[in-house]
Amino acid sequence: MSASRSTGTADALGPQEPDREDSDLLAALLDGMDAALCAFDADGVVTHWNREAERILGWTAEEAVGRRGFAGWAARAADADEVETRLLSAMDTPGRQVHDFALLTKDGRRVLVRTQSAGVRAADGRPAGVYCAFSEVHTQIDLERSIALSEALFDDASWGVVLVDADLRPAVVNARAARALGVRRTEVLGRPLGELLSQGVEELEAALQHVLGEGPPPEPVELWVTLRAAGERTAGRTGDRTRERREGGQRRCWRSGFLRLGSPLAEEPVPLGVGWLFQDITEAKQAEQEAARLRFRSGQLHRADRVAAECEEPMEAVTSYMDFALAGFADHALFDLVVSLDPPRLARASATPSGPAGAPAPLAQGGVIPVPYPDGHPAFQALQRVASVRASAGAEPGTGAPQWARDRLWPEDTVHALCTVLRSRARTLGVMTFLRGPSREAFERAEAVYAESVAARVATALDAAQLLRAPTRDP
């Protein structure tokens, strides 16, 4: 039985005189395979042997084709019979058979290979031979590990995993990522990221573009995003955070890692997309930010106490408390004294910061002339409840923020307000009001506690000022 040096094949499984072009085509196909391939006729004689088989075992096609079985060259004598029997049994068994064998290389080393063999039938249906594809076991195990890792990531990974194509559209997502995005796995595929996120999408797309062009960053990055509400995912992008929150948008922080995916079959790296892995750390980041705010505010109160202790006039201490409390907390602070409780009337004592830029409407200060607050004003509500009152322009639909602020005699850029009463020795002395502009969030309940802490110190200083001004009685 002769072997062709150019094709590494014999004619036992094919026509006796194959067409030259067909033979060349078969040789090219066999040599271009990534897996090692050999074939045996019905008698166990090697008829095909490709380049990958030569690479793994070292035996050339000229040396392999025409040999009967692996005995005496590619397998130890003790193993040869078992190897041949199990390989040739594929002729009588339907489907593929998978076996692990120890074969010998040309230089005498043992190599553990995993084979997949299948029988070949002649035109009349009789067994004609066996085709066998094999690879080194460690290579096969690496492949199986890669497949298993991919399936695990897209099945039950503790991180969200999204495969983004070169057009920055999700191609594959796992269950955790779909839950984080608030959609079903099939709904997210192929959709622009802007239909899923209303804020943070530009930063995410910039990160993906960077990975495609330059490679992944060395460390995970933290991205703040806002998910679109269910009824808004097809309405386009918007930057109105207040509207997002009112309609159900969620602000989340995702710690993200990125991997650039390239084709292993291309001669030059061809980007297939980006693997995006992320973990929701919103609660941890919010707790971290809250702790930082508490440390800062505690430090501000400590510094305010130190400054107030050095003030000769109690009203100077009141001003220092207002200035220190304002930093990082609000844009404006107003201080109104009680003129009467029934009916409720308040007089402006001071305001900070002072000046024309964003300042409140000009009102008489000094605690004498009452401020013409309308009925139902949040400051009056705080007096009546003897508690803090929060208010926001967005909570009253149909009213623009500038008009809402003007109606309450506040700066026109006011969007959120917090009024808290000043109490000392079981008496209500006034109301302190903190105001925020549109760039800040609404006051939260926890922030009212901080405002009340400031108010307690201001009320103590104010009470001391009133005691100093009170006329002394003769004994």
Side-chain angles (χ1 to χ4, degrees), residues 278-438:
F278 66 91
Q279 189 176 40
D280 194 324
I281 58 169
T282 307
E283 293 184 2
K285 290 299 294 184
Q286 289 175 341
E288 180 182 321
Q289 292 174 350
E290 182 62 25
R293 279 194 295 266
L294 288 176
R295 287 194 299 270
F296 175 75
R297 290 170 183 172
S298 296
Q300 288 294 95
L301 288 179
H302 174 73
R303 285 188 285 270
D305 288 337
R306 295 283 299 272
V307 172
E310 301 298 326
C311 293
E312 296 183 0
E313 295 292 333
M315 286 306 296
E316 292 180 12
V318 170
T319 303
S320 68
Y321 277 122
M322 292 176 61
D323 289 337
F324 276 98
L326 201 63
F329 184 69
D331 298 319
H332 304 279
L334 311 177
F335 173 31
D336 299 327
L337 291 174
V338 169
V339 176
S340 69
L341 291 175
D342 190 17
R345 289 189 298 169
L346 295 169
R348 178 63 44 83
S350 76
T352 186
S354 59
L363 297 171
Q365 297 189 8
V368 178
I369 302 176
V371 180
Y373 285 144
D375 293 339
H377 191 281
F380 288 161
Q381 296 179 32
L383 281 178
Q384 294 167 358
R385 302 176 188 178
V386 193
S388 297
V389 173
R390 292 172 291 155
S392 293
E396 300 183 18
T399 303
Q403 186 60 44
W404 178 85
R406 282 194 296 267
D407 292 342
R408 288 153 183 78
L409 303 180
W410 291 333
E412 292 188 359
D413 62 348
T414 298
V415 175
H416 310 292
L418 171 62
C419 298
T420 185
V421 292
L422 305 174
R423 297 273 296 177
S424 179
R425 293 188 298 153
R427 295 181 303 125
T428 299
L429 306 180
V431 175
M432 178 171 285
T433 302
F434 295 98
L435 306 175
R436 286 178 176 175

